Amino acid sequence: MDTELLQQDTEEKIEPVQIVTVAAKIPLFKGVDAANAIELIQLKEFGYEIVAQKDLYQIGDKAVYIFPDFCASEMPIFKEFIEPGGDPKKCRLGSNRRIRAIKFNLSRDPNIVEPTYSQGILLPYSEVQEEISVANLYNVNLTQELKIVKWEEPDEKGGGANMGGSSQSFPEWMYKTDEENINNLWGKIQYPITLIGTMKTDGSSITLFCRNGKYGICSRKQLKPMQYNKVVGRKQTNFFHKILRFFKITTDLNIYQLVDSDSEFVRIGKPYLDKMMLYTHKNNFNLILRGELNGKGLKGSGNKNNPSVKNEPNIKFFGADIYDMRTIKLEEEKFDNIIKDLEFERCPVIFNEEFNSKEELLQKCNDHFKGNMIEGIVVRTPDTKFSAKVMNLEYDSKK
């Protein structure tokens, strides 16, 4: 029987900088020899593991932890992460100082040859106190104080951004797609639990909607224009224009033509949207589809190992919502039926089974990662009230 879980508030996100407690210190080994300078740290509050200088922390110590997939700022406290030993070539952060998984060819078990990954940045509590000149770190917003921001791929500017085609704000009545890392949510899971695991396609988040006779295409954060006024020529100046210029009155001499947007979101997404519009009109309901725009020419995370880059541009869908006074996530069965009706492709299902422990779930995901270089696996309950992403740390270390 499935565990009852609280409905996740999709708008409420965990702050990416947290005060944490050191729960355990795990020795690391190179073959049978113990590592002298570093060890593995486990946290009480979250499921991440961090490789740190040996004995820099003791069990029970408070420290400041910064989640992976966020960007370290240029504040002095991050200097050794950005320029280890003063050499920027030794930096192991990703683009724009993105905090990614770092691979160490060290094992926690001398009898098992398996790499260890460090996730996130852990800082001594006292060092952060000194950096921001605050005695009690619980009294401040550490995300703001340390200038930590979310890493996101640049949003393409197609669509004639300079002339009426600029992107608009994301619609307020929808939530922005951003799965929470499962390491933030272990405390919300009770076992046994049935989870559906789908491939996390490395692409750009795209949302299509048909609502109350209106329709649109969104990137992760913006509403994309379907058309824009393109400059196709220029008017000849006449005596009237010269008079206006004499009085320093500016006039627009450009000639415009309304054309379809050249945004990749619109260019690739519109055929899907057209079919979706017919479907929702026939069935008389509002529908939101969420997916990953991926394939040739689409960067995604920028990882050269992305298996999608060889495919023709497409959308693989992973979720659906209906709108009835508010946006409501559809359960797995209803989502699957809609995708089949529309004859769209969904993110591949990797497993659908019951798990009895955290270790059992992670083993299932990691076994799949060993033979498949993918970004991760998104796990959801059949009612979709719980969902989270399990990242492939090998893939993440290469981003």
Side-chain angles (χ1 to χ4, degrees):
M1 182 175 180
D2 283 354
T3 304
E4 292 185 4
L5 296 166
L6 295 176
Q7 174 71 49
Q8 285 180 262
D9 184 347
T10 54
E11 293 298 328
E12 183 180 349
K13 291 294 179 182
I14 300 172
E15 282 289 329
V17 185
Q18 296 280 333
I19 299 173
V20 295
T21 311
V22 175
K25 304 200 303 175
I26 312 295
L28 296 174
F29 296 87
K30 182 73 170 179
V32 296
D33 298 323
N36 295 321
I38 56 177
E39 60 190 353
L40 190 66
I41 301 294
Q42 294 180 333
L43 308 175
K44 178 181 178 182
E45 295 83 358
F46 301 102
Y48 303 101
E49 297 180 328
I50 309 97
V51 174
Q53 177 185 324
K54 203 164 191 176
D55 295 328
L56 179 61
Y57 303 98
Q58 300 302 320
I59 293 175
D61 280 356
K62 294 295 181 183
V64 174
Y65 180 70
I66 305 166
F67 290 173
D69 220 29
F70 285 80
C71 298
S73 70
E74 294 181 324
M75 294 177 67
I77 199 168
F78 298 111
K79 183 175 177 58
E80 276 303 307
F81 295 94
I82 299 170
E83 300 180 4
D87 186 356
K89 293 182 179 179
K90 294 181 179 179
C91 177
R92 301 184 76 176
L93 301 175
S95 64
N96 199 31
R97 302 182 301 278
R98 175 183 173 270
I99 302 170
R100 60 183 175 183
I102 299 176
K103 181 179 181 179
F104 290 83
N105 291 318
L106 299 169
S107 175
R108 68 189 70 196
D109 186 336
N111 299 310
I112 300 176
V113 180
E114 194 168 69
T116 296
Y117 294 89
S118 182
Q119 307 168 67
I121 288 178
L122 192 65
L123 300 170
Y125 188 98
S126 58
E127 287 189 16
V128 179
Q129 283 179 307
E130 183 178 350
E131 177 75 9
I132 63 176
S133 301
V134 173
N136 189 344
L137 298 183
Y138 287 93
N139 293 337
V140 297
N141 184 316
L142 290 171
T143 304
Q144 294 178 6
E145 293 290 337
L146 294 174
K147 302 178 182 178
I148 301 301
V149 296
K150 183 82 168 72
W151 180 89
E152 291 179 344
E153 60 174 296
D155 208 343
E156 51 86 39
K157 301 300 182 183
N162 294 327
M163 279 296 171
S166 57
S167 299
Q168 302 169 28
S169 299
F170 195 89
E172 293 182 357
W173 52 272
M174 290 195 302
Y175 60 86
K176 297 174 183 176
T177 302
D178 191 10
E179 289 289 355
E180 197 74 72
N181 193 304
I182 200 165
N183 285 307
N184 303 338
L185 301 174
W186 289 118
K188 291 184 177 289
I189 303 176
Q190 295 178 7
Y191 301 95
I193 185 173
T194 296
L195 291 171
I196 301 163
T198 58
M199 175 177 158
K200 188 178 188 306
T201 302
D202 188 354
S204 299
S205 291
I206 185 170
T207 302
L208 312 180
F209 69 85
C210 296
R211 170 184 174 249
N212 299 337
K214 296 182 179 180
Y215 57 89
I217 298 175
C218 299
S219 64
R220 184 184 298 277
K221 298 191 298 181
Q222 298 175 327
L223 173 63
K224 296 296 180 181
M226 305 298 290
Q227 294 180 312
Y228 76 103
N229 287 313
K230 181 180 179 180
V231 177
V232 294
R234 190 162 176 85
K235 301 173 186 175
Q236 290 185 341
T237 57
N238 55 34
F239 182 70
F240 176 70
H241 294 133
K242 292 178 181 179
I243 292 174
L244 292 176
R245 190 182 302 165
F246 177 80
F247 288 102
K248 297 183 178 180
I249 299 173
T250 58
T251 56
D252 187 357
L253 298 176
N254 290 326
I255 300 172
Y256 300 99
Q257 181 179 344
L258 189 64
V259 298
D260 290 338
S261 170
D262 58 357
S263 161
E264 59 192 21
F265 285 85
V266 177
R267 179 173 53 83
I268 299 169
K270 193 173 184 301
Y272 292 89
L273 183 62
D274 290 342
K275 195 169 184 179
M276 182 177 159
M277 288 166 62
L278 293 173
Y279 179 76
T280 55
H281 179 73
K282 177 182 177 181
N283 292 281
N284 192 30
F285 73 111
N286 297 316
L287 178 64
I288 303 159
L289 289 181
R290 301 176 184 278
E292 288 289 332
L293 179 65
N294 68 100
K296 293 178 182 177
L298 302 166
K299 294 180 180 179
S301 70
N303 192 331
K304 64 181 180 180
N305 297 288
N306 185 349
S308 299
V309 296
K310 298 179 181 179
N311 303 329
E312 289 302 313
N314 69 92
I315 302 174
K316 291 184 175 65
F317 293 93
F318 54 75
D321 311 319
I322 58 171
Y323 183 85
D324 184 10
M325 304 300 290
R326 63 189 180 94
T327 301
I328 304 168
K329 281 185 178 182
L330 287 180
E331 59 196 51
E332 163 67 18
E333 184 178 358
K334 290 180 179 178
F335 160 66
D336 193 57
N337 288 337
I338 287 173
I339 293 301
K340 287 177 180 176
D341 287 345
L342 287 165
E343 298 181 326
F344 290 168
E345 187 176 1
R346 61 172 294 172
C347 292
V349 176
I350 297 170
F351 55 77
N352 183 346
E353 58 188 82
E354 185 177 272
F355 295 92
N356 295 301
S357 67
K358 166 185 174 180
E359 291 73 23
E360 190 177 309
L361 172 58
L362 286 178
Q363 187 65 52
K364 182 74 176 184
C365 293
N366 287 328
D367 284 347
H368 186 79
F369 294 151
K370 288 175 183 177
N372 299 275
M373 182 57 80
I374 61 173
E375 188 175 26
I377 296 174
V378 175
V379 295
R380 296 185 177 90
T381 51
D383 61 8
T384 71
K385 289 184 177 180
F386 175 87
S387 64
K389 59 187 178 185
V390 181
M391 301 303 294
N392 180 353
L393 299 182
E394 176 68 17
Y395 191 94
D396 191 69
S397 70
K398 300 177 183 296
K399 284 164 66 173

